Amino acid sequence: MKYILSLDQGTTSSRSILFDKKGRIVASDQYEFPQIYPKPGWVEHDPQSIWETQKKSIEGALKSADASWDDVAAVGIANQRETVAFWDKESGEPICNAIVWQDRRTANYCSQLKSDGREDWIQETTGLLLDPYFSATKIKWILENSKEIRELADADRLAIGTMDTWLIWNLSRGASHVTDVSNASRTLLMNLRSCQWDEELLQLFGIPKSVLPQIVDSSGELAKVSPKISDRETPISGIAGDQQAALFGQLCFEKGMIKSTYGTGCFILMQVGEKPVASKNRLLSTVAWRVNGKTEYALEGSVFIGGAAVQWLRDELRIIESAPEVEELASQVEDSGGVFVVPAFTGLGAPYWDPYARGAVLGLTRGSSRAHIARATLDGIAYQVADVAEAMEQDAGSKIDSLQADGGASANNILMQTQADLLAAKVSRPKLVETTALGAAFLAGLGVGFWSSKEELVELIEPDREFEPSLESEERTRKLAKWRKAVDRVKDWETE
Ligand code: ADP
């Protein structure tokens, strides 16, 4: 069999990619699905349209490679994390819309738990913080607000799951109700050490264990595609949350290795080895993956506005017409000329966690130009990532010597060079930046022996370009200090 079929179920689209034995993309297909905003701060998805777009993209990818299920050795899944769906085990029909990770409806409940002094215990048990982002409070909300769902739960007919679980339920035609350990670690219901659903947390959130999937490894024979879809019951042998999949796809197999994905936001993950690291800097401690029964952990920090700051230059300031144009504009000046852009448009994420911060352009002078602002915007992305990386260095107790970059904005050479300078570390960008889908494919391929070892995977990846740090240490310290001063100016700006 020639291919691994990788499903990349994202927040706005469902994608399917076929990879060959050399780790090259043979074909892909992708469909967007509607975003549903019932009220301010609420975000939902229709699980049926997620499954349908995923199915269509599988068919599309197979067709454009002139292939069939018989050519597929195994399926891997990488998915948007934390988003939860609710369905009837008997009919397989969703009972309501899925609540998306971005949904803030449980913010008050989270604040209440915080003021009840529950956060330390929750962080200690799950590695996460008390935030509506994670699945548990969303599940509690649905159980409390829908009579139909409560009745189904009482009748043991309710199934709940993140998007990996929902897709596998559909691919197996209801035969498997499973989730992998990396996805489970984002629910706020899994004990980070035992990697089992935690009884005390289930009790706190009022969630019966019977509605939850079984937690399985991230690689191995985890489930099977139903013979009604694939005659040969193709194995589903790789599952991971999208960011963990990208960490795997970037070959961060050793403790201390770190990747940053420069998309709309930036997601930075560091592999920390076989024991979870408790963060003292408000980073998340999470499962990276479990392969051959061995669990490896990661530290994670997210920056809310990454490439989106470039969209702001394009759509609001209108100083560029397309995102890639920012590089040309920024290269017209040597540096930002003392201008700082703090893109805290939606507050600040890790390590600051300030929802009241707002964006600012600081240090303007009579000579500040569009080019300076463009350059300072790229710097602002790199500074935010550097702040997360520094928090990781402190938590992990080791210096970062290189970072793997991917995502749309990693195409920008100025951004990559600035990142290397600010980290005083090498930044490497692979040729293939589809690392999320690749990571799921790698997990799936290892799971069925399509690839024999991690060493074999390392051979498949071609670096595109490496950026070496070239900034004097004193200059770097001075710049970082100035940036922190700028961040201080924007903190706690809004009151509500
Ligand atoms: P997502 O997966 O979050 O949709 P992508 O990985 O597709 O994001 O990256 C898109 C983001 O990257 C956009 O916010 C866009 O502004 C930014 N971007 C794309 N190309 C460039 C570039 N050459 N320089 C800087 N930013 C870019």
Side-chain angles (χ1 to χ4, degrees), residues 169-375:
W169 176 274
N170 282 285
L171 283 166
S172 69
R173 293 279 167 100
S176 295
H177 188 213
V178 297
T179 189
D180 96 293
V181 67
S182 74
N183 273 291
S185 77
R186 315 295 299 187
T187 56
L188 211 67
L189 295 171
M190 194 192 84
N191 184 303
L192 197 59
R193 281 159 203 85
S194 68
C195 294
Q196 300 293 327
W197 301 122
D198 186 274
E199 299 290 346
E200 265 184 276
L201 287 167
L202 293 176
Q203 207 166 21
L204 172 71
F205 296 113
I207 299 169
K209 206 188 208 165
S210 62
V211 304
L212 296 175
Q214 184 198 344
I215 302 174
V216 297
D217 279 10
S218 315
S219 180
E221 297 224 2
L222 311 171
K224 286 192 170 99
V225 179
S226 158
K228 291 184 186 134
I229 300 175
S230 146
D231 283 344
R232 53 173 292 269
E233 297 184 79
T234 309
I236 301 170
S237 54
I239 317 175
D242 51 10
Q243 296 309 321
Q244 285 94 331
L247 189 68
F248 202 82
Q250 284 276 27
L251 309 172
C252 293
F253 300 149
E254 307 290 328
K255 191 171 159 177
M257 292 182 85
I258 174 171
K259 74 93 193 172
S260 177
T261 299
Y262 298 81
T264 311
C266 299
F267 287 92
I268 305 108
L269 268 80
M270 179 194 255
Q271 223 261 52
V272 296
E274 292 176 52
K275 287 209 181 82
V277 169
S279 176
K280 294 192 176 65
N281 294 287
R282 298 188 71 72
L283 299 172
L284 305 177
S285 188
T286 199
V287 172
W289 45 71
R290 189 166 71 202
V291 178
N292 295 331
K294 187 169 101 178
T295 310
E296 286 175 300
Y297 292 87
L299 277 170
E300 173 174 329
S302 347
V303 167
F304 300 146
I305 303 289
V310 175
Q311 290 170 348
W312 170 73
L313 296 178
R314 184 192 63 193
D315 302 338
E316 312 305 328
L317 292 197
R318 301 196 188 182
I319 59 175
I320 47 173
E321 278 181 13
S322 70
E325 246 179 60
V326 70
E327 185 158 358
E328 206 277 315
L329 181 59
S331 70
Q332 292 172 9
V333 287
E334 269 283 279
D335 57 32
S336 73
V339 178
F340 282 78
V341 171
V342 188
F345 304 142
T346 55
L348 285 166
Y352 301 103
W353 293 104
D354 182 352
Y356 303 111
R358 287 296 176 270
V361 184
L362 298 103
L364 291 172
T365 63
R366 186 70 180 75
S368 304
S369 68
R370 294 182 327 135
H372 289 119
I373 292 179
R375 183 101 189 194

Side-chain angles (χ1 to χ4, degrees), residues 76-92:
I77 299 178
N79 56 288
Q80 56 164 323
R81 305 172 301 171
E82 296 99 10
T83 300
V84 269
F86 305 79
W87 64 94
D88 181 343
K89 281 183 194 167
E90 281 180 16
S91 68

Side-chain angles (χ1 to χ4, degrees), residues 62-107:
L62 288 173
K63 190 158 174 241
S64 74
D66 207 7
S68 74
W69 278 100
D70 289 339
D71 300 308
V72 178
V75 178
I77 299 178
N79 56 288
Q80 56 164 323
R81 305 172 301 171
E82 296 99 10
T83 300
V84 269
F86 305 79
W87 64 94
D88 181 343
K89 281 183 194 167
E90 281 180 16
S91 68
E93 293 292 318
I95 302 143
C96 57
N97 281 336
I99 308 193
V100 178
W101 58 271
Q102 296 149 322
D103 191 290
R104 309 297 299 171
R105 79 184 64 178
T106 57

